[in-house]
Amino acid sequence: MADLSHIHGQDLTVSATGGLLLTSGTEHGQQRVIRRLMTNPGDDQWTPEYGGGAPAFVGSTASADRIRAAFLKQMRMEATVDQSVAPRVTVSAQPNGTTTATVEYRDAQGVTSRTIIPMGDR
Protein backbone atom coordinates (compact mmCIF):
# COMPACT_ATOMS: atom_id res chain seq x y z
CA MET A 1 0.00 0.00 0.00
CA ALA A 2 1.36 3.42 -0.92
CA ASP A 3 1.65 6.19 1.64
CA LEU A 4 3.09 9.69 1.70
CA SER A 5 6.88 9.65 1.63
CA HIS A 6 8.10 11.26 4.84
CA ILE A 7 11.63 10.96 6.13
CA HIS A 8 11.76 11.64 9.87
CA GLY A 9 12.88 15.18 10.65
CA GLN A 10 12.24 16.46 7.14
CA ASP A 11 9.34 17.95 5.22
CA LEU A 12 7.09 15.90 2.97
CA THR A 13 8.78 15.15 -0.34
CA VAL A 14 7.52 16.73 -3.56
CA SER A 15 7.57 14.70 -6.78
CA ALA A 16 8.97 15.94 -10.10
CA THR A 17 5.42 16.87 -11.20
CA GLY A 18 4.79 18.96 -8.07
CA GLY A 19 2.59 16.52 -6.16
CA LEU A 20 3.42 14.82 -2.91
CA LEU A 21 5.75 11.86 -3.39
CA LEU A 22 4.42 8.44 -2.40
CA THR A 23 6.35 5.47 -1.11
CA SER A 24 5.61 1.78 -0.76
CA GLY A 25 7.32 -1.52 -0.09
CA THR A 26 10.65 -1.66 1.71
CA GLU A 27 11.22 2.11 1.68
CA HIS A 28 7.79 2.66 3.23
CA GLY A 29 8.65 0.18 5.98
CA GLN A 30 12.01 1.81 6.66
CA GLN A 31 10.38 5.21 7.02
CA ARG A 32 7.78 3.79 9.40
CA VAL A 33 10.41 2.04 11.55
CA ILE A 34 12.56 5.17 11.86
CA ARG A 35 9.53 7.34 12.66
CA ARG A 36 8.35 4.83 15.30
CA LEU A 37 11.73 4.57 17.03
CA MET A 38 12.36 8.33 16.90
CA THR A 39 8.99 9.15 18.52
CA ASN A 40 8.77 9.42 22.30
CA PRO A 41 6.02 7.36 23.95
CA GLY A 42 3.04 9.58 24.66
CA ASP A 43 3.80 12.06 21.86
CA ASP A 44 0.95 10.62 19.76
CA GLN A 45 -2.19 11.43 21.72
CA TRP A 46 -4.26 8.75 19.94
CA THR A 47 -1.78 5.91 20.54
CA PRO A 48 0.23 6.75 23.67
CA GLU A 49 2.12 3.40 23.56
CA TYR A 50 3.55 4.29 20.12
CA GLY A 51 7.22 5.24 20.06
CA GLY A 52 10.64 3.82 20.89
CA GLY A 53 11.78 6.96 22.66
CA ALA A 54 15.19 7.43 21.01
CA PRO A 55 15.18 11.21 21.68
CA ALA A 56 14.45 10.61 25.37
CA PHE A 57 17.52 8.40 25.68
CA VAL A 58 19.87 11.23 24.64
CA GLY A 59 21.71 12.38 27.75
CA SER A 60 20.05 9.71 29.89
CA THR A 61 21.65 7.01 32.00
CA ALA A 62 19.51 4.28 30.41
CA SER A 63 21.38 1.02 29.95
CA ALA A 64 21.89 -0.60 26.56
CA ASP A 65 19.51 -3.37 27.70
CA ARG A 66 16.74 -0.84 28.44
CA ILE A 67 17.16 0.82 25.04
CA ARG A 68 17.24 -2.56 23.30
CA ALA A 69 14.06 -3.68 25.11
CA ALA A 70 12.21 -0.45 24.21
CA PHE A 71 13.14 -0.77 20.55
CA LEU A 72 12.31 -4.49 20.37
CA LYS A 73 8.89 -3.85 21.91
CA GLN A 74 8.16 -1.29 19.20
CA MET A 75 9.44 -3.55 16.42
CA ARG A 76 6.98 -6.23 17.58
CA MET A 77 4.15 -3.70 17.16
CA GLU A 78 5.21 -2.47 13.70
CA ALA A 79 2.96 -3.82 10.91
CA THR A 80 5.65 -3.52 8.22
CA VAL A 81 8.01 -5.88 10.10
CA ASP A 82 7.82 -9.62 9.42
CA GLN A 83 7.07 -11.02 12.88
CA SER A 84 8.13 -14.57 11.95
CA VAL A 85 11.79 -13.48 12.18
CA ALA A 86 12.88 -11.79 15.40
CA PRO A 87 14.40 -8.33 14.87
CA ARG A 88 17.85 -7.68 16.32
CA VAL A 89 18.88 -4.50 18.11
CA THR A 90 22.50 -3.75 18.96
CA VAL A 91 23.26 -0.69 21.10
CA SER A 92 26.86 0.47 21.03
CA ALA A 93 29.01 3.37 22.16
CA GLN A 94 30.95 5.00 19.34
CA PRO A 95 34.57 6.25 19.62
CA ASN A 96 33.35 9.87 19.46
CA GLY A 97 31.28 9.40 22.65
CA THR A 98 27.89 9.02 21.00
CA THR A 99 25.59 6.01 21.12
CA THR A 100 23.89 4.30 18.21
CA ALA A 101 21.33 1.54 17.95
CA THR A 102 21.50 -0.74 14.93
CA VAL A 103 18.17 -2.37 14.15
CA GLU A 104 18.05 -5.34 11.78
CA TYR A 105 14.74 -6.87 10.70
CA ARG A 106 12.95 -8.52 7.81
CA ASP A 107 10.11 -6.52 6.34
CA ALA A 108 6.74 -7.77 5.13
CA GLN A 109 8.17 -8.15 1.59
CA GLY A 110 10.88 -10.50 2.90
CA VAL A 111 13.70 -7.96 2.51
CA THR A 112 16.22 -7.70 5.33
CA SER A 113 16.74 -4.08 6.39
CA ARG A 114 19.30 -2.45 8.63
CA THR A 115 18.64 0.94 10.21
CA ILE A 116 21.02 2.92 12.41
CA ILE A 117 19.43 5.23 14.98
CA PRO A 118 21.85 7.87 16.35
CA MET A 119 21.13 8.82 19.94
CA GLY A 120 23.78 11.43 20.57
CA ASP A 121 25.75 11.71 23.81
CA ARG A 122 24.65 9.60 26.74
Side-chain angles (χ1 to χ4, degrees):
M1 178 172 124
D3 200 354
L4 290 176
S5 179
H6 182 235
I7 298 169
H8 181 79
Q10 297 182 17
D11 291 330
L12 293 173
T13 308
V14 178
S15 71
T17 59
L20 291 175
L21 189 66
L22 299 178
T23 187
S24 62
T26 296
E27 182 180 14
H28 177 243
Q30 290 170 339
Q31 289 181 8
R32 285 179 54 113
V33 165
I34 291 169
R35 188 168 41 253
R36 177 179 284 276
L37 298 178
M38 294 297 291
T39 300
N40 286 321
D43 282 356
D44 182 343
Q45 66 184 10
W46 294 281
T47 50
E49 69 281 356
Y50 178 92
F57 291 124
V58 175
S60 78
T61 58
S63 68
D65 287 339
R66 182 172 169 210
I67 296 168
R68 186 179 309 103
F71 282 14
L72 285 172
K73 177 181 176 184
Q74 292 300 312
M75 295 299 287
R76 286 191 293 272
M77 292 191 279
E78 178 53 54
T80 61
V81 173
D82 179 353
Q83 298 301 317
S84 70
V85 178
R88 292 187 307 169
V89 176
T90 306
V91 179
S92 53
Q94 302 303 310
N96 64 0
T98 62
T99 299
T100 60
T102 303
V103 182
E104 297 175 273
Y105 61 95
R106 189 166 75 183
D107 68 18
Q109 285 76 36
V111 176
T112 300
S113 290
R114 182 173 184 251
T115 299
I116 298 174
I117 305 292
M119 291 183 289
D121 298 332
R122 289 194 337 122

